[in-house]
Amino acid sequence: MVEPTFICDDDYYVPDANQLITEDDTPVDNFASAKQQRLLVSSLYSALKTQIFLAEANVGVYYTDLQPAIVPDVFLSFDVQVPQNWWEKQNRCYMVWRFGKPPEVAIEIVSNKEGDELGKKLRIYEHMRVSYYIVYDPTGQFGQVLRVYELRGMRYSEISETWLEQVGLGVTIWQGEFEGRQDTWLRWCYQDGNILLTGDERASQAEQRASQAEQRAQLLAEQLRRMGIEPSD
């Protein structure tokens, strides 16, 4: 057990970060999960530029110093930012007592049954009071591709709704291409169902709009010439 540290005169317990494992340098994941994690994180930073939030993949979350960190595949926490001095031990991962609250959303991507996403991990996020816990099971290990749990009181309830009211975002299953890979993906979406775009998708749409505008201009110029009018006149 970590020796307690007290600040001020309020006997407020602050765990000593120097005695916690903030990284163990043993990442073990698969290509599909890694790409899915990048998609979920990158689209948030591309689409929510005016909001303050922290979204990461495979970063440890400590809710107590009495238990090892849990490492969500993806988490999302609003109204918090990584401190500037992020190399300091206490700033290297998400310690709930330093950020003042747990993340609003935790996502686990199922690749096998050993992760116990519907058992131990669910109970940990529930105890941590994460508002929404999402289990994405692309290969159907547990029989259902997408499960969404909402914290109601002290317990999680599985809900059929994929709109996360408390965070103003939803999730959806999407068929398409990301980083050159055509597949089925879990995406963030707005309430109208439109997905949050990545930076590359935004750039591609801008190029398409520019190309369409140029084509319209060329068509108009041809029509004017047939009428005996030079477009430059």
Side-chain angles (χ1 to χ4, degrees):
M1 178 177 174
V2 177
E3 289 294 322
T5 301
F6 296 97
I7 59 175
C8 301
D9 297 321
D10 300 325
D11 288 350
Y12 181 79
Y13 174 61
V14 179
D16 182 359
N18 290 317
Q19 299 186 50
L20 301 178
I21 299 174
T22 55
E23 58 275 308
D24 59 13
D25 297 322
T26 57
V28 179
D29 219 327
N30 57 72
F31 292 125
S33 293
K35 198 175 286 286
Q36 174 67 81
Q37 292 162 6
R38 284 199 300 276
L39 173 56
L40 288 168
V41 172
S42 65
S43 58
L44 285 169
Y45 282 104
S46 173
L48 306 182
K49 292 183 180 297
T50 62
Q51 296 192 46
I52 297 174
F53 67 92
L54 176 58
E56 289 297 343
N58 284 327
V59 171
V61 177
Y62 272 103
Y63 66 100
T64 174
D65 61 326
L66 304 179
Q67 297 291 334
I70 188 168
V71 185
D73 284 321
V74 174
F75 73 77
L76 170 61
S77 186
F78 282 97
D79 300 317
V80 298
Q81 291 179 304
V82 177
Q84 287 295 320
N85 52 346
W86 60 7
W87 285 113
E88 290 190 9
K89 184 73 170 180
Q90 70 268 20
N91 296 329
R92 291 189 179 187
C93 66
Y94 196 105
M95 299 180 188
V96 171
W97 56 87
R98 290 192 61 81
F99 285 94
K101 67 181 185 67
E104 278 81 10
V105 183
I107 299 176
E108 293 289 351
I109 302 165
V110 179
S111 54
N112 54 56
K113 295 183 179 180
E114 296 177 9
D116 201 14
E117 285 82 3
L118 301 183
K120 180 180 179 180
K121 286 184 178 179
L122 184 148
R123 292 190 294 272
I124 290 174
Y125 291 124
E126 183 180 69
H127 182 70
M128 196 189 303
R129 303 191 63 74
V130 173
S131 300
Y132 295 99
Y133 174 43
I134 298 169
V135 180
Y136 178 48
D137 187 0
T139 61
Q141 296 287 321
F142 295 112
Q144 188 172 319
V145 172
L146 183 62
R147 298 173 189 263
V148 179
Y149 296 89
E150 181 180 38
L151 190 67
R152 295 178 177 176
M154 301 296 291
R155 298 294 181 188
Y156 273 139
S157 293
E158 185 173 357
I159 59 176
S160 58
E161 178 65 53
T162 57
W163 175 250
L164 315 180
E165 184 67 34
Q166 295 181 46
V167 298
L169 289 172
V171 289
T172 188
I173 303 298
W174 177 80
Q175 292 273 351
E177 183 177 320
F178 174 63
E179 293 183 348
R181 178 78 182 198
Q182 186 76 24
D183 213 321
T184 301
W185 308 94
L186 179 67
R187 300 291 301 259
W188 300 103
C189 66
Y190 299 104
Q191 196 163 15
D192 61 6
N194 288 322
I195 59 172
L196 275 65
L197 300 179
T198 65
D200 287 345
E201 288 170 332
R202 286 176 175 273
S204 177
Q205 284 194 358
E207 289 177 3
Q208 290 177 5
R209 287 193 295 268
S211 176
Q212 290 169 356
E214 183 178 355
Q215 290 174 4
R216 288 194 297 269
Q218 291 175 352
L219 179 60
L220 177 60
E222 291 173 2
Q223 292 173 340
L224 290 173
R225 289 190 183 98
R226 286 196 293 269
M227 297 169 60
I229 303 172
E230 280 300 319
S232 58
D233 291 348

